Amino acid sequence: MDTIKVHFLGASGTVTGSKFYLETPELNIMVDCGMFQGLKELRQLNWQSLPLDASKIDFVLLTHGHLDHTGYLPRLVKEGFHGKIIATAPTLAITRIILLDSAKIHEEEAERANNEGYSKHHPAVAFYTIKEAERAIDLFQSQVKDEWIGLSEHIRFKFRYNGHIIGATFIELEIFGKLFVFSGDIGRQNDTLLAPPEYPQWADYLFVESTYGNKLHPEEDVEQKIIDLVNRTIKERGSLIIPSFAVERLQSLMYLLWQLYKKNKIPNIPIFIDSPMGNNVLSVFESFPAWHELPMKEYQAMCDHFNIISSFADTWKTIDDLRPKIVIAGSGMVTGGRVLTYLKQLIDKTATTVLIVGYQAEGTRGRQLLEGAHELKLFGKYEPVNAKIEHLESLSAHADQKELLQWLKEIKNIPEKVFLIHGEPTALDAFKVKIRDVYGWKAHIPKLNETTEWTL
């Protein structure tokens, strides 16, 4: 008897590591292939081989390019995958940048750990190398949105626009007449740079993210908050450090600061953009203007206004620059990247302000700062946190509970199964209750490595 099996290999009971493996009578498909981030026990899962034969996967479909949805691809190829990795063209452009940058960071961290002797592993090895990332990139195949793409006689899929970041989609996957809908990460209704997400109209089996399933984004006066922080930074002759995700958040922050300067709401304070990956992402905005709402004329003027750093030597020049300044640097959850160098040198100073924007997963340094950590481990050593820590929640690229419910409202049928994924336990539980109360649907919260099976 023919069956369809879905294996929940990530983003199940937690936010990161999105991986969903579907076994069907015709094909084996993986939807997203991300890395776990945050808590040590989650990060350690990245080093375990998947409980499947990677060589038997025919296709990987990607919802968008973030690391927690794409970062495991080089390891999947190393484990034997040789099929096609399919996504929209801007998603593949973003994924290429993220994988190469991630590989470079992995190589550098392994080298630094070996040189300075702070790793428990001897020798420390990179999670994957640039060459391994390039092998995954060689398997990329782009497809357009809003068109059904056949994979086999009884299986086809369609990408649908989803906001969140440039190129992001949700996936409608039709298997033997049943519609499996994977939400990916759902964007905001009022995004600075992107159009609102589209909505699914039908779903037999629905897999929906729950990152903010228990929260509403606050009504914040973002402009005034940034104006106040900039003025305080100038008054105290300090540094305003903004850890930022390289995709979307960095560009949104740049646009917001540029608009404030144009309106004479902030002075011409030096602003440094120190994110090699973010700089490359800017070129994706230039290459795919139909996927965002930033006019190219504004884009160019905005880029000309900032000090865009490319070399690590310039990172140190910026740290040594005694003028009041704003630094936007990767990464957004303070898990790696250039921002660690700034924080190691400046987080002990009372004139430093660290502005956290967006979601911070459990176990990340960003989450520790929000929860009042008095010290932070950076490059193997603890540094005292004397800097002021500020938070802007409303700049999140994730839909909140109200927006998630709105994304579901146009589904005309009652799904046979609703799976809540990509959330921490409290968010998942709250969203499960809310879906039942609003729509009368029963939702299930799958556990990691759980398998669900249907008979055709």
Side-chain angles (χ1 to χ4, degrees):
M1 193 174 290
D2 287 335
T3 61
I4 298 173
K5 292 182 182 179
V6 178
H7 304 263
F8 295 86
L9 304 178
S12 304
T14 187
V15 170
T16 60
S18 289
K19 296 182 208 72
F20 308 100
Y21 177 52
L22 292 86
E23 293 182 271
T24 82
E26 291 183 351
L27 293 172
N28 296 321
I29 301 165
M30 182 170 280
V31 175
D32 284 340
C33 189
M35 278 179 63
F36 289 100
Q37 297 170 290
L39 294 170
K40 184 177 181 180
E41 55 262 37
L42 289 175
R43 298 196 312 271
Q44 287 175 334
L45 294 174
N46 291 321
W47 293 89
Q48 298 179 10
S49 296
L50 294 178
L52 55 86
D53 184 347
S55 67
K56 292 184 177 179
I57 304 173
D58 298 289
F59 298 98
V60 176
L61 306 180
L62 302 178
T63 59
H64 66 288
H66 273 150
L67 192 69
D68 62 324
H69 292 257
T70 66
Y72 196 82
L73 286 169
R75 298 285 293 197
L76 191 72
V77 173
K78 192 173 184 178
E79 290 180 26
F81 173 73
H82 55 270
K84 292 295 182 184
I85 299 167
I86 304 175
T88 65
T91 286
L92 292 180
I94 292 293
T95 303
R96 181 182 185 278
I97 292 166
I98 282 181
L99 291 185
L100 291 175
D101 184 81
S102 177
K104 184 171 181 287
I105 289 172
H106 289 315
E107 289 185 351
E108 289 173 350
E109 285 181 346
E111 182 180 4
R112 183 168 188 162
N114 287 324
N115 290 339
E116 299 183 14
Y118 62 78
S119 173
K120 295 178 182 177
H121 305 283
H122 304 287
V125 296
F127 182 59
Y128 53 79
T129 65
I130 290 173
K131 285 185 178 179
E132 288 167 342
E134 287 171 342
R135 289 191 200 107
I137 291 166
D138 287 342
L139 302 177
F140 285 4
Q141 182 182 90
S142 67
Q143 291 290 355
V144 297
K145 63 181 176 69
D146 300 327
E147 288 186 16
W148 285 107
I149 309 296
L151 296 177
S152 65
E153 184 180 357
H154 297 101
I155 301 175
R156 61 179 186 163
F157 75 92
K158 183 194 292 185
F159 290 129
R160 301 275 309 278
Y161 183 85
N162 212 23
H164 186 58
I165 67 170
I166 190 168
T169 61
F170 64 93
I171 296 174
E172 296 180 338
L173 179 59
E174 188 181 86
I175 304 174
F176 288 85
K178 294 290 188 179
L179 193 60
F180 293 70
V181 176
F182 292 85
S183 76
D185 288 353
I186 300 166
R188 307 293 307 281
Q189 288 297 311
N190 297 298
D191 190 280
T192 307
L193 302 179
L194 302 176
E198 295 177 0
Y199 302 149
Q201 283 78 47
W202 190 276
D204 294 304
Y205 303 103
L206 179 62
F207 303 75
V208 60
E209 71 121 322
S210 313
T211 311
Y212 285 100
N214 62 335
K215 289 185 179 179
L216 300 178
H217 294 312
E219 295 290 332
E220 295 177 303
D221 189 338
V222 174
E223 285 197 357
Q224 191 57 51
K225 174 93 170 183
I226 291 177
I227 290 167
D228 292 344
L229 291 177
V230 170
N231 288 336
R232 187 174 77 189
T233 299
I234 293 170
K235 181 180 178 181
E236 296 182 355
R237 299 197 60 78
S239 300
L240 174 57
I241 301 173
I242 310 177
S244 177
F245 301 100
V247 188
E248 214 66 45
R249 195 64 43 77
L250 183 142
Q251 295 79 30
S252 296
L253 285 166
M254 288 176 69
Y255 186 69
L256 182 56
L257 288 164
W258 163 239
Q259 291 298 308
L260 289 175
Y261 171 72
K262 277 206 325 179
K263 296 173 187 174
N264 293 315
K265 292 187 175 182
I266 60 172
N268 192 20
I269 182 173
I271 305 175
F272 298 90
I273 309 298
D274 196 345
S275 171
M277 181 165 62
N279 299 346
N280 291 330
V281 170
L282 281 169
S283 68
V284 178
F285 275 74
E286 196 167 349
S287 299
F288 298 97
W291 281 84
H292 63 84
E293 300 190 326
L294 177 60
M296 281 298 99
K297 188 175 179 181
E298 279 285 287
Y299 163 84
Q300 194 56 58
M302 176 184 81
C303 290
D304 291 343
H305 177 68
F306 296 95
N307 300 290
I308 296 180
I309 292 174
S310 54
S311 73
F312 196 52
D314 286 337
T315 295
W316 282 100
K317 288 180 183 176
T318 304
I319 290 169
D320 293 337
D321 190 330
L322 298 180
R323 294 177 296 170
K325 57 186 175 289
I326 301 172
V327 176
I328 307 175
S331 66
M333 295 188 197
V334 202
T335 53
R338 295 277 180 90
V339 76
L340 298 186
T341 304
Y342 288 95
L343 293 179
K344 185 167 181 64
Q345 302 301 318
L346 300 172
I347 201 165
D348 64 330
K349 303 185 186 320
T350 56
T352 298
T353 298
V354 180
L355 176 60
I356 301 292
V357 292
Y359 183 78
Q360 306 296 310
E362 285 184 298
T364 61
R365 294 185 185 90
R367 183 74 159 256
Q368 291 168 27
L369 289 173
L370 287 182
E371 292 176 348
H374 68 281
E375 59 183 6
L376 207 61
K377 193 174 185 180
L378 298 164
F379 303 120
K381 296 180 181 178
Y382 285 96
E383 304 294 339
V385 177
N386 296 322
K388 293 176 279 290
I389 310 301
E390 302 283 352
H391 190 202
L392 265 178
E393 288 186 68
S394 55
L395 284 181
S396 173
H398 281 273
D400 65 9
Q401 186 192 77
K402 181 180 178 181
E403 291 165 323
L404 289 170
L405 290 169
Q406 190 172 355
W407 190 82
L408 299 173
K409 73 174 185 178
E410 291 191 18
I411 295 178
K412 297 176 175 62
N413 65 311
I414 298 175
E416 295 180 36
K417 274 277 192 180
V418 178
F419 299 96
L420 301 186
I421 54 172
H422 206 285
E424 292 177 7
T426 52
L428 292 163
D429 289 336
F431 196 41
K432 178 181 178 179
V433 172
K434 197 71 176 178
I435 286 176
R436 183 194 64 201
D437 291 347
V438 174
Y439 294 112
W441 301 347
K442 290 184 179 179
H444 174 65
I445 301 171
K447 293 181 171 59
L448 186 63
N449 294 321
E450 182 177 318
T451 299
T452 298
E453 183 174 326
W454 295 274
T455 302
L456 293 174

